[in-house]
Amino acid sequence: MDLSRRGFFKIMGATGAGLAATGRSAAAWESRAPEDAYGCLVDLTRCIGCRKCEQACQTVNGLPQPEQSFDDLTILDRKRRPDEKSFTVVNRYYSGKIDERDQLIPTFVKIQCMHCQDPACASACIVGALTKKENGAVHYDASKCIGCRYCMVACPFEIPAYEYHNPITPRVMKCTFCYERVAEEGKLPGCAQICPVEAITFGKRADLLALGHQRIKDNPGRYLDHIYGEKEVGGTSWMYLSDQPFEDLGFIQVPEKPLPQLAETIQHSLFSYLWSPIVLFGMLSGVMWGFRDKGDRHIDREGENP
Amino acid sequence: MSKKSFIVLLLFLVMGLSGGLVALHPESPGSPAAHAAAAAAPPAPETPASTWTAPDQVAALERAKETVPFVDAVMDECKLCRQMRLRETGLGTKDIKHSYFVLNSPIINAVEDHYGPVRFMHSKHAAQIQDCAMCHHFRPLGADASETTRCSACHQEAFRKDHPERIGLKAAYHQQCMECHRDMNQGPVDCIGCHNKNVPEHKDKIQLAANPTPFEVTEECLRCHKAAGQDMLKTAHWLLKGPSPFTLGHRKEVEIGKATIATNNF
Amino acid sequence: MSHTPRPLRAKFWTPGVVLMAFLMAAGAVAIIARYIGGIGYVTNLTNARPWGLWIGVDVASGVALAAGGFTTAFVAHILSRHYYEPVVRPALLTAMLGYTFVVLGLLVDIGRSWAIWKPLIHWNPNSVLFEVAMCVMFYLNVLYLEFVPIVVEQYKGRVHLPGPLSGLNAPVEGLLKLLDAITGKLMWVFIIAGVVLSCMHQSSLGSLMLVAPTKLHPLWYTPILPLLFLTSAIAVGYPMVVFETTLVTSSLKLDPEMDILTPLTRFTVFLLGLYLALKVGDMVVRGTYVYLLDGTAQTNAFLVELILGVIVPWVMLVLPKVRQSRRGLFIACALIVGGVLVNRVNVFVVGYRPPISEANYAPAFSEILITVGLIAGLMFLYRFLVTYLPVLSGPKQEVSA
């Protein structure tokens, strides 16, 4: 019993040491965020809830026509989520404030993939079908996908949707950041181009951050001093300016640490160059060699045998 | 433009539904609906040889095609200072050269063109507001530069790298117009309040035999525009019934009309 | 102690087996429906709840409960405790079938079943799931290789295929000889590799959820989740062996093997105690005990998992009286098995709360049918293989052959 216990201690020791190593090398994890990525800054104080972005998205991405027309603005109150048929939706929120004519002042919130700088979905994806591109887009390659849906589990913003009713070739569906349009045709994302009031500003992420902070500085009364997406989950390509607290507008509080960091740190410190499996293998071989003829001599001490 | 074409459209519907279409179309040039109707009636030439357009409209359309060089730097002054200075210079409605503009800039149309152009009544707005600085919120920097200049001098393409803070022309129009309309509680804030919808070419959509009867024409319209037909039947224009809030002495219900007692039911 | 494994050769179509076949057929119908109408047609999975019963039970619990394979191989072959040999083969068979059905369950669950091979060529070394998939794939092959001697023992030199297939007798015989030669010389490699691969992916299964800190309830979300998964898998290994051996020996009226099972569970006292200490310690260190009396579904599920699944059976196993009673031992081990099952379901389903949509999930009937069908299929195959291959040790006491 004692000896076998010791053997177990050794296994535990090996794994324990590995896990302990994770703590030490936690700082070693490095962000793989692209240097010069594009992004979009959504200014919620500008959005007028016209749903033109939804319409442009549907056209540009060849998505199916919705049941209700894009001209129907009553749907704004429904708190929709992006799904496999629409990559972006606009919802209306009321803070309870009223204007001079006793009308409730609405705030419109556009939702789409945030295109995280260090996307959890791309870290999770078993085959690398989801990748963070140099231009900032989190890009999905259906030809690699096996449909495990781990990306959907990983996404903190609950964005990827799935074609659950396609039995053989379902796809993960989410905002593409109009990757082909931007990268190959040099155009703007469909939504940013159509927006009549430039609620969506397209540009390099670094420039947008500067612009956002400038807007806050120039209009301190108009904006909260917070750009959602500057630090959230280590930064996102899509960012938001608002005059209402973000938590009242359907935004959740997320850690400022990139979500892949913990799991990747553990994985890499345990399995880089497969050192821990090799060490464990060697230790077990040694134990097996050492015990090759001795195991059963303790059987008699397994006291509880009748 | 919008009001006129609205009336034309309504007339077209009224007349079309009541079988009076044939008499109408020579008088309504330029209206897309009339154009469609013209295309629909084969006896008429395919494109009217002489489409008359008002000379001021022609001039406005021509003006709309112009672009001016981008103004890089503007004079930095507070809004109040600017208002006072403009008042001192004596700039006012009398200096307005063009009473209206058709906002149909190639800068916007180069990227997209979803709606018809807006006819912006410059004089009317100026007369009502009496404050040039309201819209002409900045001026070019140079000492000899004009105090007022067109929107598209400073606002051109969206997301310029050299001027990230400066919004594009389309957003400048929309933000300026809509915010002011909302603040003043006057003027439209929805899309079709200012724009016509870009009506798609109906030439290929309309399927009519040669020499159609008025009823066939109406039926053909209704083939696609079912809801428009139903809506029409409920309007005061059709029923000649209901309140006339803007007519002296007729503010209450008027119970004479096609829906009740036919007086002029042709 | 003359435990010699041999084929059961008992009547196969007992009422229990017929019931299994019926459940399999029902599951098969649901699986056909899944491949006609899509996953959305047979499940209640949504965009906010992409993983449900299949991942929680078929995959995560399936892997955990197959831990008996590598833990018994460790004690019997690496520590050379040949005394425990009689339970090694059944545990190995359970593990082999368990992992086979994990893969079958995955095939049903993933949207593009036909693309399941793609991780072989498209690698994402950052993905925890990639590591799990690679380990499961290699380990499944290791399990098959470990099983080879059982087949060889039964058929080597006796290959006698019926009728038209008799022409294949010689090649099959040759293949068996080759496999025998390879596995004979290299079995130690496979045994150790099996333990190493198991440690790797049992822990990594826990790392899977580390990417979702906003979604997994804080009672379960801990950086030591992989360690908890590993220790619980190791701890559940022997109880699972006890659980299934007791079920099998009592249903087939074989020797209850108490003289092996009782000492085996003495390891469990230590291993389960370690798991309990880690789990409670983690809760104390992170201060998550504040949630315990929330009364929400999550916290109640955690209490069930911790009290009924760990503390109660641990206390039972500490008592020698329980360990020596067949019924007591079975109940304690069943509780541990249930506790680990509940833990895996909790981590992947119950404790998973998407904070934006706050979507709920309960499995659909057809979803349950598929899970039940797969489990029935596993038990059916187990019964089939022990009937024709030397897995179980021969009847000793309650002879009924």
Side-chain angles (χ1 to χ4, degrees):
Chain A
M1 189 68 208
D2 294 350
L3 278 168
S4 60
R5 242 181 217 175
R6 212 170 299 148
F8 274 114
F9 274 128
K10 281 175 185 165
I11 309 181
M12 305 306 296
T15 30
L19 282 168
T22 64
R24 257 176 282 132
S25 54
W29 184 86
E30 268 182 36
S31 164
R32 293 185 297 276
E35 298 266 308
D36 195 26
Y38 283 111
C40 280
L41 179 67
V42 185
D43 190 331
L44 298 182
T45 66
R46 288 186 183 176
C47 180
I48 53 170
C50 65
R51 298 187 67 206
K52 288 282 178 276
C53 50
E54 293 184 37
Q55 189 169 13
C57 181
Q58 181 256 331
T59 313
V60 166
N61 292 294
L63 299 173
Q65 278 284 350
E67 279 169 34
Q68 267 168 296
S69 139
F70 287 111
D71 295 332
D72 181 353
L73 299 183
T74 58
I75 208 169
L76 289 166
D77 288 324
R78 207 181 275 168
K79 303 286 176 284
R80 296 165 299 154
R81 300 282 312 158
D83 59 25
E84 65 276 16
K85 290 175 184 151
S86 47
F87 294 165
T88 186
V89 293
V90 179
N91 288 332
R92 174 162 47 203
Y93 290 84
Y94 291 110
S95 64
K97 286 184 186 154
I98 51 172
D99 61 15
E100 309 91 279
R101 289 180 292 283
D102 288 346
Q103 299 290 306
L104 283 166
I105 300 174
T107 306
F108 301 97
V109 182
K110 176 183 187 294
I111 311 172
Q112 74 297 308
C113 173
M114 299 287 283
H115 298 276
C116 306
Q117 288 286 77
D118 282 296
C121 59
S123 166
C125 182
I126 180 169
V127 285
L130 285 155
T131 45
K132 177 79 173 172
K133 295 286 185 185
E134 276 307 306
N135 75 353
V138 176
H139 183 258
Y140 170 68
D141 179 356
S143 71
K144 288 183 181 174
C145 181
I146 67 167
C148 68
R149 307 190 295 287
Y150 187 26
C151 52
M152 300 165 68
V153 170
C155 176
F157 303 108
E158 298 171 38
I159 291 298
Y162 204 61
E163 294 183 320
Y164 279 112
H165 288 279
N166 180 336
I168 306 297
T169 56
R171 290 169 296 171
V172 170
M173 302 295 274
K174 69 164 199 72
C175 163
T176 60
F177 205 171
C178 289
Y179 174 69
E180 277 85 15
R181 265 172 76 93
V182 174
E184 282 153 32
E185 301 167 41
K187 289 191 194 161
L188 300 169
C191 53
Q193 177 171 306
I194 204 168
C195 181
V197 289
E198 257 173 63
I200 307 165
T201 307
F202 176 82
K204 293 282 162 138
R205 184 171 186 273
D207 300 342
L208 292 176
L209 274 173
L211 176 66
H213 284 297
Q214 190 61 42
R215 272 191 215 166
I216 293 171
K217 201 178 140 205
D218 291 346
N219 293 286
R222 179 164 175 164
Y223 297 106
L224 295 175
D225 189 10
H226 179 187
I227 300 179
Y228 191 94
E230 179 178 14
K231 299 199 178 111
E232 277 74 10
V233 293
T236 57
S237 286
W238 277 68
M239 295 166 291
Y240 290 83
L241 280 175
S242 171
D243 55 350
Q244 300 299 321
F246 283 106
E247 51 271 29
D248 297 346
L249 302 175
F251 291 86
I252 54 157
Q253 275 209 330
V254 288
E256 291 193 354
K257 211 172 67 169
L259 297 191
Q261 186 172 341
L262 178 60
E264 282 186 9
T265 307
I266 292 178
Q267 291 291 305
H268 290 316
S269 43
L270 271 182
F271 299 122
S272 55
Y273 308 108
L274 293 176
W275 73 266
S276 71
I278 292 169
V279 167
L280 184 57
F281 193 97
M283 283 170 55
L284 288 174
S285 312
V287 171
M288 198 172 184
W289 177 258
F291 276 76
R292 65 197 182 284
D293 299 319
K294 302 173 191 161
D296 277 339
R297 71 179 181 195
H298 296 284
I299 288 303
D300 303 335
R301 289 214 281 123
E302 299 286 353
E304 292 171 358
N305 302 350
Chain B
M1 170 86 176
S2 65
K3 207 167 187 180
K4 184 171 154 194
S5 67
F6 176 68
I7 292 170
V8 168
L9 192 71
L10 265 174
L11 272 173
F12 164 68
L13 270 170
V14 173
M15 302 307 269
L17 285 166
S18 56
L21 175 84
V22 191
L24 181 73
H25 65 79
E27 325 172 346
S28 57
S31 142
H35 188 71
E46 273 223 1
T47 40
S50 59
T51 317
W52 183 86
T53 313
D56 58 339
Q57 176 81 356
V58 174
L61 283 168
E62 278 305 311
R63 273 203 308 281
K65 287 183 195 156
E66 294 168 16
T67 50
V68 291
F70 182 69
V71 171
D72 196 58
V74 295
M75 184 190 269
D76 187 20
E77 57 184 336
C78 73
K79 197 176 177 186
L80 203 63
C81 323
R82 180 157 172 76
Q83 278 172 334
M84 291 195 296
R85 207 161 48 73
L86 285 185
R87 203 178 308 142
E88 278 162 24
T89 55
L91 207 68
T93 45
K94 62 178 188 329
D95 301 301
I96 288 176
K97 289 198 198 78
H98 306 290
S99 72
Y100 71 89
F101 292 89
V102 175
L103 306 181
N104 196 21
S105 170
I107 297 171
I108 299 176
N109 292 347
V111 184
E112 56 190 334
D113 192 5
H114 301 285
Y115 282 90
V118 171
R119 175 199 281 250
F120 172 63
M121 311 304 288
H122 190 208
S123 299
K124 188 181 162 195
H125 279 85
Q128 209 160 18
I129 298 167
Q130 295 289 341
D131 175 10
C132 304
M134 195 84 145
C135 299
H136 296 278
H137 53 152
F138 284 116
R139 57 159 286 185
L141 188 59
D144 52 346
S146 158
E147 268 302 337
T148 58
T149 180
R150 61 179 75 195
C151 308
S152 63
C154 300
H155 300 279
Q156 299 194 347
E157 299 85 18
F159 319 132
R160 289 179 71 108
K161 287 197 177 57
D162 50 347
H163 284 280
E165 78 293 347
R166 208 179 284 176
I167 56 178
L169 182 59
K170 180 177 66 172
Y173 283 149
H174 284 119
Q175 283 196 19
Q176 185 70 50
C177 298
M178 293 172 72
E179 266 181 37
C180 192
H181 287 184
R182 207 170 270 137
D183 289 348
M184 301 274 177
N185 202 18
Q186 271 188 38
V189 287
D190 57 335
C191 308
I192 51 174
C194 302
H195 294 275
N196 272 324
K197 271 193 174 167
N198 260 357
V199 179
E201 181 57 70
H202 271 60
K203 256 183 205 166
D204 303 324
K205 300 192 186 230
I206 293 167
Q207 302 159 7
L208 272 178
N211 296 316
T213 66
F215 294 102
E216 281 169 356
V217 174
T218 309
E219 214 164 283
E220 178 60 13
C221 297
L222 289 173
R223 187 166 59 85
C224 300
H225 301 280
K226 280 199 188 78
Q230 291 300 318
D231 288 354
M232 181 64 210
L233 292 175
K234 302 231 163 64
T235 60
H237 292 278
W238 172 256
L239 298 171
L240 294 179
K241 174 195 169 190
S244 305
F246 302 110
T247 313
L248 214 62
H250 288 274
R251 292 210 175 94
K252 288 181 193 153
E253 287 278 289
V254 175
E255 288 300 340
I256 303 166
K258 290 184 186 185
T260 52
I261 311 155
T263 48
N264 62 342
N265 199 351
F266 40 81
Chain C
M1 220 145 287
S2 60
H3 286 299
T4 327
R6 55 183 162 178
L8 195 61
R9 299 279 181 217
K11 184 177 165 238
F12 184 69
W13 287 102
T14 58
V17 176
V18 173
L19 176 68
M20 292 300 131
F22 175 75
L23 292 176
M24 280 162 68
V29 171
I31 289 177
I32 291 169
R34 178 255 177 267
Y35 282 106
I36 292 173
I39 296 171
Y41 183 61
V42 291
T43 69
N44 283 345
L45 296 173
T46 57
N47 291 335
R49 302 294 300 253
W51 283 359
L53 181 73
W54 294 344
I55 293 293
V57 174
D58 304 14
V59 177
S61 303
V63 167
L65 299 185
F70 85 94
T71 46
T72 50
F74 176 80
V75 74
H77 294 144
I78 295 183
L79 298 181
S80 294
R81 297 295 184 84
H82 301 292
Y83 177 76
Y84 296 111
E85 282 296 349
V87 293
V88 170
R89 283 191 173 187
L92 172 63
L93 177 60
T94 313
M96 185 185 87
L97 291 177
Y99 275 84
T100 304
F101 278 82
V102 163
V103 173
L104 291 180
L106 268 176
L107 276 174
V108 176
D109 180 81
I110 67 171
R112 300 176 166 215
S113 314
W114 50 270
I116 197 166
W117 55 273
K118 283 190 174 172
L120 285 175
I121 55 162
H122 300 300
W123 293 12
N124 180 7
N126 293 315
S127 170
V128 180
L129 192 59
F130 175 73
E131 192 242 294
V132 172
M134 288 296 116
C135 286
V136 167
M137 186 193 73
F138 281 117
Y139 186 47
L140 186 59
N141 286 301
V142 164
L143 283 169
Y144 288 150
L145 285 169
E146 285 186 47
F147 198 72
V148 161
I150 298 173
V151 181
V152 169
E153 180 183 318
Q154 181 67 20
Y155 291 110
K156 192 179 168 190
R158 275 179 285 173
V159 176
H160 186 71
L161 294 167
L165 294 174
S166 57
L168 292 171
N169 278 348
V172 171
E173 190 74 53
L175 182 71
L176 282 183
K177 271 192 184 137
L178 179 71
L179 285 171
D180 190 27
I182 296 173
T183 52
K185 289 264 160 50
L186 293 176
M187 188 47 88
W188 68 275
V189 176
F190 299 135
I191 288 168
I192 299 177
V195 175
V196 172
L197 288 167
S198 292
C199 287
M200 285 169 76
H201 72 264
Q202 292 284 4
S203 60
S204 295
L205 267 178
S207 309
L208 277 183
M209 296 312 278
L210 292 184
V211 81
T214 57
K215 292 180 173 177
L216 186 59
H217 192 283
L219 280 171
W220 290 280
Y221 188 88
T222 160
I224 66 158
L225 195 56
L227 186 60
L228 289 176
F229 264 54
L230 179 64
T231 45
S232 59
I234 294 173
V236 82
Y238 301 136
M240 187 62 195
V241 170
V242 172
F243 178 75
E244 56 164 284
T245 305
T246 309
L247 278 184
V248 168
T249 53
S250 65
S251 81
L252 297 175
K253 303 195 173 52
L254 302 174
D255 174 9
E257 316 261 20
M258 284 303 286
D259 50 341
I260 296 173
L261 301 184
T262 299
L264 203 53
T265 49
R266 286 185 59 187
F267 297 102
T268 305
V269 175
F270 164 70
L271 294 169
L272 194 66
L274 179 70
Y275 172 56
L276 179 63
L278 282 172
K279 209 167 166 62
V280 173
D282 170 67
M283 193 167 71
V284 172
V285 168
R286 291 185 306 114
T288 48
Y289 48 82
V290 295
Y291 298 105
L292 280 182
L293 298 176
D294 274 1
T296 62
Q298 281 78 37
T299 51
N300 290 341
F302 184 85
L303 286 174
V304 168
E305 173 197 327
L306 187 65
I307 296 172
L308 277 183
V310 187
I311 297 174
V312 170
W314 185 75
V315 171
M316 284 173 78
L317 284 184
V318 168
L319 308 170
K321 208 174 130 195
V322 174
R323 266 180 289 160
Q324 277 156 8
S325 119
R326 193 182 187 198
R327 177 182 297 268
L329 191 66
F330 178 75
I331 291 173
C333 289
L335 283 175
I336 297 171
V337 168
V340 169
L341 181 93
V342 171
N343 171 259
R344 298 307 193 258
V345 172
N346 279 348
V347 168
F348 287 100
V349 183
V350 177
Y352 183 89
R353 297 283 299 163
I356 299 177
S357 54
E358 294 175 344
N360 287 314
Y361 161 84
F365 180 65
S366 39
E367 217 172 335
I368 299 170
L369 268 190
I370 291 179
T371 293
V372 170
L374 285 173
I375 295 170
L378 189 155
M379 293 167 78
F380 183 90
L381 262 185
Y382 185 99
R383 183 68 169 74
F384 178 81
L385 290 175
V386 299
T387 305
Y388 295 104
L389 289 173
V391 175
L392 298 174
S393 297
K396 210 175 88 182
Q397 290 176 348
E398 306 164 55
V399 183
S400 70

